[in-house]
């Protein structure tokens, strides 16, 4: 049974139109009819809920998923605390509520695979394996950060763990992801690395799906059958702009088949459903069948960023999704299927608390970048700064390593 | 020599020792120092005959504007490649450079509109798709921002792409990726990812191509940190700069004129009266003007700077020149004491390029203006 057919296309408890707070200004009749994934690549066998009587995951898998989601949640909560204590600055966008998407997809990937995200990237980095201490130090702007303090909240990179960013402008990361997928295909076919089957996942939001780069990359990925998965984290809001007010056809999954890509909608508050869809999409990519577009219905419990007063979203909408908290739901699932006991889960909670505390300590102790770091990493080859008036390369100027050279 | 690119260019091209290749010096007379300069803007060929379709840069050694003082017997062969006697047109030189690099390193690939089956709008990639396949010479859909970003993503994951913009103006559409990612990601990732990408394209004023196809956007790209920029002007330096840019670990933007006059100019000794800085197409205008100046008794030194970012302040400093307003301020800052006269900058008019040929000419610096400017400075 294809996982695609197993997804429900709309949560039954949510009446349409989706957001009670704003109605589209023209009839959106499509919202009232039952929906199905329509790509011909998708099997149309009967939909079945995955919350079936037998678990679809092993105990170890379950614990791994649980731990990853709790790490994401605790880390983000700590970020909020640290921000209000003045340890980090600027724009900080928290992922609370969306953990099922990151965990559901990224825990299935291997280290060599690539993940590209947006500014809401802390948890993607954590799920991919970047140590919490490096992410926290990066947020504090310290040299121990994964980007030496030069990136910040919106630019998490890790060459070791395959995290290719972290981008401040929405949509910017999608072409990068397409390029990483192109590299993968190139290595296999041109460089003849037969076993090379790296997969790339691009995460982005509902607002991005109205941006040209999204459509341009869907086209190119389909054209060249690139090993990429486009994951839309549709949390219904782009800062204060409701998805329904910004989008002529709000069903993003439908835009995949327009390019010949299977499009799937999944309940992004349910980590197991996300995981089932992810498995299939990743298998498609690895086997060379090409890209997939996955729309995850999800929700951010906090504002767009820590500076967002979050006044537009109605309390009942927030309450509706708070009741579908992915961690609470998964915990319930674990108990129902006897995958672990309460005390085991509490032990994991405690372990994660320790990890996050340690991350803060590490970040606190990590040194601030000195002036000498200023001119490093601008160019891979610092001779790119050119030759100074005295005839020597600027990077050979003693002031260069002090950060005081004129460039 | 300017940056690493210039040095690399020289190294790559010379099998025999070259004279200063970093910037040309052309001796054309003798007189005390002063300054004049002009800014890169591209030109329409009127005074010289035989320019057929005009959409490709052409250099015909037979119709060279001779140097006023020929310092080397083979100075007229600056249009050739490194092999003596091997004559090429500029687009052929670019292709040769690209072909050599693709043969040498299988990670080098090309992406752009019409680069593959069509052979490139300006024939720079002609025949390469047959030779290397459709994946290595990738025909992209018309989506500059996205395929430039794709090139950057590919560069981050181990390939060495050359992204061709059909026209420099089209790169405006890719400006998001070029400015935010190409120049920046090495830095914001703390040095974890290198982006050895080359973004190239022809630009500037062609022959009545209209305003949007005739943009001079060098200064936009000059303000992007982390990006190197070069402008070729002859087949010789075109090939060298192409190879050097591909081999560089830094991101590079390689510009070339849509329309180049012929006439090379080999190396020469420095002039005494005035230094004229130029690049790309204006080089040929300047050469013409220089000829006139020599006949009038001046001794201008002409330098084709070729590297737009970083500026070769050393060579420039040795001659004292200024080229664009940006360069002007750099020179003033460094060399104020050495200037005998204020720097003069001649640049294209701050107007969109009109379609009409006569008006188009007015937006571009002409040799007569250059001559007058030098005369004014040397008073």
């Amino acid at each position: 049974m294809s996982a695609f057919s197993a997804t429900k296309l709309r949560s039954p408890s949510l009446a349409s139109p989706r957001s009670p707070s704003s109605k589209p200004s023209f009839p959106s009749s499509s919202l009232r009819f039952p929906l199905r994934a329509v790509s011909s690549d998708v099997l149309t066998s009967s939909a079945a809920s995955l919350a079936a009587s037998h678990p679809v995951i092993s105990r170890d898998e379950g614990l791994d998923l649980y731990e990853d989601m709790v790490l994401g949640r605790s880390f983000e909560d700590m970020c909020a605390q640290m921000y209000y204590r003045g340890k980090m600055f600027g724009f900080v966008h928290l992922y609370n509520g969306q953990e099922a998407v990151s965990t559901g997809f990224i825990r299935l990937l291997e280290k060599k695979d690539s993940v590209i995200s947006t500014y809401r990237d802390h948890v993607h980095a954590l799920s991919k394996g970047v140590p919490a201490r490096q992410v926290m130090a990066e947020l504090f702007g310290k040299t121990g950060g994964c980007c030496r303090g030069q990136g910040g909240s919106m630019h998490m990179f890790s060459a070791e763990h395959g995290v290719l960013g972290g981008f401040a402008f929405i949509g910017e990361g999608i072409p990068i992801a397409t390029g990483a997928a192109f590299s993968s295909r190139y290595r296999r076919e041109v460089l003849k690395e037969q076993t090379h089957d790296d997969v790339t996942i691009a995460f982005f939001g509902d607002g991005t799906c109205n941006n040209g780069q999204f459509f341009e990359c869907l086209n190119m990925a389909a054209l060249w059958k690139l090993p990429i998965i486009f994951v839309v984290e549709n949390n219904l809001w782009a800062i204060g702009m409701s998805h329904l007010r910004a989008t002529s056809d709000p069903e993003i999954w439908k835009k995949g088949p327009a390019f010949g890509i299977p499009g799937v909608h999944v309940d992004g508050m349910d980590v197991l459903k996300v995981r089932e869809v992810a498995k299939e999409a990743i298998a498609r990519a690895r086997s060379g069948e090409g890209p997939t577009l996955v729309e995850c219905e999800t929700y951010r419990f906090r504002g767009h960023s820590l500076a967002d007063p979050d006044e537009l979203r109605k309390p009942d909408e927030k309450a509706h999704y708070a009741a579908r908290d992915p961690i609470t739901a998964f915990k319930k699932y674990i108990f129902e299927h006897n995958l672990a006991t309460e005390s085991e889960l509490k032990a994991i909670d405690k372990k994660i608390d320790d990890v996050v505390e340690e991350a803060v300590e590490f970040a606190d102790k990590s040194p601030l970048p000195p002036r000498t770091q200023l001119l490093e990493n601008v160019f891979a080859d610092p001779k790119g700064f050119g030759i100074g008036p005295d005839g020597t390369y600027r990077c050979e100027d003693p002031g260069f390593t002090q950060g005081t050279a004129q460039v | 020599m300017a940056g690493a690119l210039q040095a690399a260019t020289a190294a790559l091209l010379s099998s025999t020792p070259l004279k200063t290749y970093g910037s040309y010096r052309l001796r054309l007379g003798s007189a005390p120092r002063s300054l004049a300069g002009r800014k890169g803007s591209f030109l329409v060929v009127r005074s010289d005959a035989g320019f057929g379709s005009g959409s490709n840069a052409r250099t015909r050694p037979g119709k060279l504007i001779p140097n006023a003082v020929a310092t080397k017997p083979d100075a007229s062969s600056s249009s050739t490649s490194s092999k003596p006697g091997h004559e090429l047109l500029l687009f052929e030189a670019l292709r040769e450079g690209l072909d050599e690099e693709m043969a040498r390193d299988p990670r080098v690939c090309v992406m752009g509109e019409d680069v593959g089956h069509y052979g490139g709008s300006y024939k720079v990639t002609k025949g390469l798709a047959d030779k290397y396949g459709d994946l290595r010479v990738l025909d992209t859909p018309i989506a500059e921002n996205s395929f430039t970003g794709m090139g950057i993503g590919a560069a981050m994951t181990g390939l060495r792409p050359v992204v061709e913009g059909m026209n420099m103006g089209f790169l405006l559409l890719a400006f998001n990726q070029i400015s935010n990612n190409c120049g920046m990601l090495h830095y914001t990732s703390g040095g974890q990812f290198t982006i050895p990408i080359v973004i190239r394209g022809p630009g500037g004023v062609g022959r009545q191509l209209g305003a949007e196809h005739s943009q001079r956007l060098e200064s936009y790209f000059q303000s992007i940190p982390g990006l190197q920029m070069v402008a070729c002007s002859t087949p010789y330096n075109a090939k060298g700069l192409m190879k050097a840019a591909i081999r560089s670990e830094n991101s590079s933007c390689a510009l070339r004129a849509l329309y180049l006059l012929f006439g090379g100019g080999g190396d020469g000794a420095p002039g005494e009266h005035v230094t004229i800085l130029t690049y790309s197409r204006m080089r040929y205008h300047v050469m013409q003007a220089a000829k006139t100046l020599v006949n009038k008794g001046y001794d201008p030194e002409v330098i084709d700077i070729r590297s737009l970012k970083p500026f070769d302040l050393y060579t420039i400093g040795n001659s004292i020149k200024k080229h664009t307003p940006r360069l002007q301020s750099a020179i003033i800052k460094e060399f104020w004491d050495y200037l005998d006269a204020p720097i003069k900058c001649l640049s294209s008019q701050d107007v969109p390029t009109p379609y009409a040929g006569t008006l188009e000419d007015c937006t571009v610096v002409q040799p007569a203006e250059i001559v007058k400017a030098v005369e004014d400075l040397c008073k």
Side-chain angles (χ1 to χ4, degrees):
Chain A
M1 173 181 77
S2 162
F4 289 2
S5 60
T7 62
K8 298 247 184 107
L9 295 181
R10 179 174 308 286
S11 162
S13 56
L14 182 61
S16 86
R18 287 219 271 193
S19 164
S21 63
S22 65
K23 296 184 193 313
S25 56
F26 50 88
S28 55
S29 54
S30 60
L31 291 178
R32 299 201 196 102
F33 298 115
L35 302 159
R36 294 185 226 305
V38 296
S39 165
S40 60
D41 286 353
V42 173
L43 301 175
T44 53
S45 52
S46 59
S49 168
L50 279 173
S53 55
H54 56 275
V56 295
I57 49 164
S58 70
R59 174 189 145 86
D60 284 342
E61 284 168 342
L63 293 179
D64 178 68
L65 296 178
Y66 179 77
E67 185 172 323
D68 193 57
M69 288 203 286
V70 169
L71 173 61
R73 181 70 60 88
S74 303
F75 187 93
E76 297 291 71
D77 283 341
M78 182 60 79
C79 278
Q81 268 194 61
M82 293 296 110
Y83 188 83
Y84 293 124
R85 284 195 206 171
K87 299 280 189 78
M88 58 179 87
F89 302 94
F91 293 129
V92 178
H93 308 84
L94 299 181
Y95 201 73
N96 298 49
Q98 300 183 195
E99 295 85 0
V101 180
S102 179
T103 299
F105 272 95
I106 300 180
R107 296 314 287 168
L108 287 170
L109 292 179
E110 296 171 32
K111 195 169 182 188
K112 58 182 184 143
D113 296 320
S114 300
V115 161
I116 283 90
S117 178
T118 60
Y119 44 76
R120 205 178 299 280
D121 56 349
H122 310 164
V123 177
H124 296 132
L126 292 171
S127 294
K128 193 66 174 54
V130 181
R133 43 166 43 194
Q134 284 182 19
V135 181
M136 191 62 81
E138 184 61 34
L139 292 168
F140 282 26
K142 304 290 191 76
T143 54
C146 50
C147 302
R148 308 177 77 202
Q150 290 169 189
S153 167
M154 299 186 282
H155 304 284
M156 292 294 166
F157 286 83
S158 170
E160 186 191 340
H161 296 280
V163 179
L164 269 63
F167 294 92
F169 287 22
I170 60 154
E172 238 182 3
I174 307 179
I176 304 284
T178 310
F182 178 81
S183 253
S184 184
R185 186 176 161 194
Y186 189 98
R187 282 179 183 277
R188 187 132 83 161
E189 294 182 26
V190 176
L191 301 182
K192 309 285 187 226
E193 294 173 20
Q194 303 292 355
T195 54
H196 193 99
D197 59 357
D198 294 4
V199 154
T200 304
I201 303 188
F203 292 93
F204 47 92
D206 44 285
T208 306
C209 295
N210 294 323
N211 186 274
Q213 286 169 105
F214 169 62
F215 297 106
E216 290 172 3
C217 290
L218 283 183
N219 179 44
M220 293 197 290
L223 196 57
W224 299 315
K225 282 197 147 180
L226 300 181
I228 183 171
I229 305 162
F230 297 100
V231 178
V232 183
E233 295 171 322
N234 183 354
N235 58 23
L236 301 179
W237 291 87
I239 309 186
M241 190 63 170
S242 155
H243 177 57
L244 298 173
R245 291 183 68 222
T247 317
S248 54
D249 184 348
E251 295 181 70
I252 301 166
W253 62 271
K254 276 159 87 177
K255 304 182 188 191
F259 293 90
I261 299 178
V264 188
H265 180 286
V266 69
D267 176 0
M269 305 305 273
D270 183 329
V271 67
L272 292 178
K273 289 181 184 163
V274 172
R275 192 177 145 91
E276 284 304 301
V277 171
K279 262 194 210 164
E280 196 158 326
I282 292 171
R284 271 178 54 85
R286 271 204 220 289
S287 65
E289 286 168 49
T292 315
L293 173 66
V294 182
E295 177 185 357
C296 303
E297 178 194 346
T298 183
Y299 202 76
R300 51 169 164 83
F301 294 158
R302 290 179 178 265
H304 164 74
S305 71
L306 288 173
D308 174 18
D310 192 16
E311 288 160 349
L312 280 179
R313 303 191 302 171
K314 293 289 196 305
D316 44 354
E317 181 186 89
K318 295 184 192 178
H320 169 79
Y321 282 101
R324 291 165 60 187
D325 186 325
I327 297 178
T328 321
F330 189 54
K331 230 169 149 172
K332 185 159 165 266
Y333 180 91
I334 288 177
F335 294 148
E336 278 174 4
H337 294 88
N338 297 314
L339 292 177
T341 63
E342 178 134 8
S343 59
E344 282 171 323
L345 294 191
K346 279 209 161 32
I348 292 179
D349 292 345
K350 171 85 180 49
K351 174 183 163 197
I352 293 299
D353 280 344
D354 291 342
V355 164
V356 174
E357 289 278 349
E358 195 272 328
V360 172
E361 276 172 31
F362 173 82
D364 270 335
K365 291 201 185 102
S366 186
L368 286 166
R371 183 152 191 159
T372 54
Q373 197 179 307
L374 178 67
L375 300 174
E376 295 171 11
N377 307 138
V378 177
F379 286 105
D381 175 3
K383 291 193 174 132
F385 279 119
I387 290 184
D390 61 356
T392 58
Y393 279 110
R394 289 206 144 102
C395 59
E396 290 164 2
D397 175 347
F400 189 85
T401 48
Q402 300 306 312
T404 53
Q406 289 305 305
V407 293
Chain B
M1 245 136 301
L5 270 188
Q6 301 261 56
T9 309
L12 286 168
L13 285 179
S14 61
S15 45
T16 56
L18 280 178
K19 288 191 82 153
T20 13
Y21 220 72
S23 304
Y24 283 117
R25 289 173 185 195
L26 304 122
R27 188 221 326 222
L28 304 145
S30 58
R33 291 216 263 192
S34 183
L35 291 175
R38 58 116 325 275
K39 188 196 158 146
S41 171
F42 304 133
L43 107 120
V44 169
V45 176
R46 294 285 179 209
S47 48
D48 301 295
F51 250 78
S53 59
S55 67
N56 285 319
R58 299 208 184 284
T59 312
R60 293 179 199 164
K63 293 195 183 169
L64 266 184
I65 298 169
N67 286 333
V69 177
T71 54
K72 294 191 300 190
D74 62 344
S76 63
S77 61
S78 62
S79 60
T80 66
S81 74
S82 55
K83 302 191 204 103
H86 178 163
E87 291 187 353
L88 288 179
L89 303 174
L90 190 132
F91 72 92
E92 291 167 342
L94 286 171
R95 189 199 315 143
E96 202 175 80
L98 192 49
D99 194 356
E100 285 175 16
E101 290 304 303
M102 288 180 81
R104 179 181 170 269
D105 185 345
R107 298 170 302 163
V108 178
C109 55
V110 182
M111 352 179 136
E113 294 157 13
D114 276 331
V115 297
H117 294 188
Y118 195 73
S121 312
Y122 298 97
K123 299 295 169 231
V124 173
T125 48
K126 188 167 177 200
L128 295 184
D130 291 331
K131 190 169 172 189
Y132 295 110
D134 283 348
L135 212 53
R136 277 193 85 182
V137 187
L138 187 74
D139 277 323
T140 61
I142 307 174
E144 279 80 5
N145 201 26
S146 292
F147 69 70
T148 304
M150 194 173 94
I152 295 168
M156 285 167 79
T157 45
L159 301 187
R160 302 187 78 90
V162 177
V163 172
E164 177 166 319
M166 200 185 274
N167 184 291
M168 191 203 303
F170 300 174
L171 293 180
L172 282 179
L173 292 155
F175 209 77
N176 178 10
Q177 291 290 340
I178 296 173
S179 177
N180 279 334
N181 290 342
C182 184
M184 247 186 241
L185 288 186
H186 185 70
Y187 193 78
T188 49
S189 68
Q192 294 182 78
F193 291 97
T194 58
I195 307 173
I197 191 175
V198 177
I199 297 172
R200 51 167 298 273
V205 172
R207 184 176 249 183
Q208 297 188 241
L209 302 180
E212 288 172 65
H213 281 87
S214 311
Q215 298 189 72
R216 294 153 289 233
L217 302 174
E218 298 88 36
S219 54
Y220 293 14
F221 296 105
Q222 277 170 333
S223 33
I224 302 174
L227 187 68
Q228 295 177 147
M229 192 157 64
V230 291
C232 60
S233 53
T234 66
Y236 191 89
N237 63 39
K239 180 177 171 181
L241 288 171
M242 169 72 95
K243 290 169 73 87
I246 291 175
R247 292 201 199 174
S248 170
E249 290 305 310
N250 300 332
S251 312
S252 324
C253 195
L255 310 172
R256 71 169 184 86
L258 258 179
Y259 210 57
L260 278 175
L261 250 193
F262 41 62
D267 300 349
E272 292 286 313
H273 275 157
V274 61
T275 304
I276 305 178
L277 290 181
T278 183
Y279 66 88
S280 196
R281 186 164 159 187
M282 282 291 104
R283 169 210 176 94
Y284 300 101
H285 270 197
V286 168
M287 293 300 294
Q288 277 187 285
K291 211 175 109 185
T292 312
L293 286 167
V294 163
N295 291 339
K296 292 190 178 189
Y298 291 90
D299 177 21
E301 175 177 340
V302 179
I303 298 194
D304 179 349
I305 62 170
R306 289 183 309 177
S307 175
L308 302 182
K309 188 175 166 118
F311 288 129
D312 178 2
L313 278 185
Y314 177 60
T315 309
I316 289 169
N318 287 344
S319 177
I320 301 204
K321 47 254 180 183
K322 130 260 147 277
H323 193 199
T324 63
R326 212 172 278 277
L327 186 45
Q328 182 170 6
S329 54
I331 290 169
I332 289 175
K333 200 166 55 150
E334 300 287 351
F335 303 119
W336 181 250
D337 291 337
Y338 298 96
L339 302 180
D340 289 331
I343 301 170
K344 190 156 172 61
C345 181
L346 296 176
S347 44
S348 46
Q349 297 281 346
D350 189 15
V351 299
T353 309
Y355 168 70
T358 46
L359 288 180
E360 189 181 61
D361 282 352
C362 296
T363 67
V364 162
V365 177
Q366 299 294 343
E369 291 173 62
I370 300 172
V371 170
K372 174 145 191 334
V374 171
E375 287 173 336
D376 285 347
L377 273 177
C378 289
K379 283 202 185 84

